């Protein structure tokens, strides 16, 4: 059984209030993004979630009750997109629509694809997918436990940092 400890982490909240016009729209051959069909089983979802966040201490969904998780991922306002490179699932993004906003709740690549030039491309596509849902703004958050390039990359893509809080986060005890 996994054991957990608790650490204090800075949580950075970011917002984008206008759809970006990409001056340097990126493209990558042999990639595609697919909306996952619902219903999505919690076991398949957790494989995807852990493939991206397992090494980054993503635990929120792992520790969540199965029925609650199933309701969240299969909500009509949740959109989960797989990112494929040469037919191999390389990452995913999870978008959640609310009254005025779309939150990029989870975004990332599996470790085997990090550092190979796909992150910025996939993030541009995820941002476009969020704006396609016609929100007033797009938001996301990241924390000290995420990849060290996450916060600077989000800012480079046009997100504005507007709030930081300190929160206790569970991490896996080694």
């Amino acid at each position: 059984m996994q054991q957990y400890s608790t650490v204090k982490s800075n949580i950075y909240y970011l917002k984008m209030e206008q759809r970006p016009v990409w001056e340097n729209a990126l493209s990558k051959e042999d990639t595609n993004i697919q909306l996952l069909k619902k219903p999505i089983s919690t076991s398949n979802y957790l494989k995807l979630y852990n493939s991206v966040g397992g090494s980054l201490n993503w635990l929120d969904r792992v520790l969540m009750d199965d029925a609650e998780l199933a309701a969240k991922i299969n909500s009509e306002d949740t959109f989960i997109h797989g990112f494929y490179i040469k037919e191999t699932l390389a990452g995913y993004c999870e978008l959640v629509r609310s009254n005025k906003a779309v939150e990029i709740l989870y975004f990332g690549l599996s470790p085997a694809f990090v550092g190979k030039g796909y992150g910025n491309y996939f993030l541009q596509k995820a941002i476009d997918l969020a704006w396609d849902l016609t929100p007033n703004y797009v938001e996301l958050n990241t924390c000290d436990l995420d990849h060290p390039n996450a916060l600077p990359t989000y800012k480079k893509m046009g997100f504005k940092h507007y709030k930081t809080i300190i929160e206790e986060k569970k991490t896996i005890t080694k």
Side-chain angles (χ1 to χ4, degrees):
M1 183 169 173
Q2 292 279 3
Q3 296 211 355
Y4 305 101
S5 57
T6 303
V7 298
K8 290 187 185 229
S9 176
N10 288 315
I11 314 294
Y12 306 100
Y13 289 83
L14 299 105
K15 184 187 286 190
M16 180 183 285
E17 297 185 300
Q18 291 185 321
R19 185 179 194 130
V21 177
W22 304 113
E23 291 178 23
N24 297 311
L26 302 172
S27 65
K28 292 284 183 187
E29 290 185 25
D30 297 323
T31 65
N32 70 71
I33 299 171
Q34 297 175 10
L35 179 65
L36 275 61
K37 292 180 183 172
K38 295 178 185 176
I40 302 166
S41 74
T42 56
S43 61
N44 285 341
Y45 174 83
L46 287 171
K47 285 177 194 169
L48 181 59
Y49 180 86
N50 287 323
S51 74
V52 171
S55 64
L56 300 170
N57 279 295
W58 287 10
L59 294 174
D60 297 338
R61 296 291 174 95
V62 172
L63 300 174
M64 190 176 286
D65 173 77
D66 201 53
E68 181 183 2
L69 177 58
K72 284 184 180 292
I73 64 176
N74 290 298
S75 162
E76 66 180 23
D77 291 317
T78 299
F79 305 86
I80 301 170
H81 299 268
F83 177 58
Y84 296 84
I85 301 171
K86 296 182 180 176
E87 307 303 317
T88 300
L89 184 60
Y92 86 107
C93 67
E94 183 172 337
L95 310 175
V96 178
R97 178 177 52 199
S98 65
N99 290 339
K100 296 179 182 179
V102 169
E103 180 178 7
I104 301 175
L105 187 63
Y106 294 102
F107 167 85
L109 297 171
S110 299
F113 298 96
V114 172
K116 298 189 176 177
Y118 292 103
N120 287 340
Y121 168 75
F122 182 36
L123 182 55
Q124 277 188 358
K125 296 299 181 189
I127 291 167
D128 286 341
L129 289 167
W131 281 107
D132 287 348
L133 297 170
T134 65
N136 292 343
Y137 59 93
V138 175
E139 61 186 347
L140 57 76
N141 69 66
T142 187
C143 73
D144 295 338
L145 299 174
D146 279 338
H147 191 282
N149 291 339
L151 183 59
T153 299
Y154 295 145
K155 288 179 175 180
K156 183 176 92 176
M157 289 291 182
F159 283 93
K160 304 291 184 222
H161 174 227
Y162 69 91
K163 176 172 75 171
T164 301
I165 64 169
I166 298 172
E167 186 176 280
E168 289 196 356
K169 302 281 276 180
K170 286 188 177 182
T171 60
I172 297 172
T173 304
K174 307 278 181 194

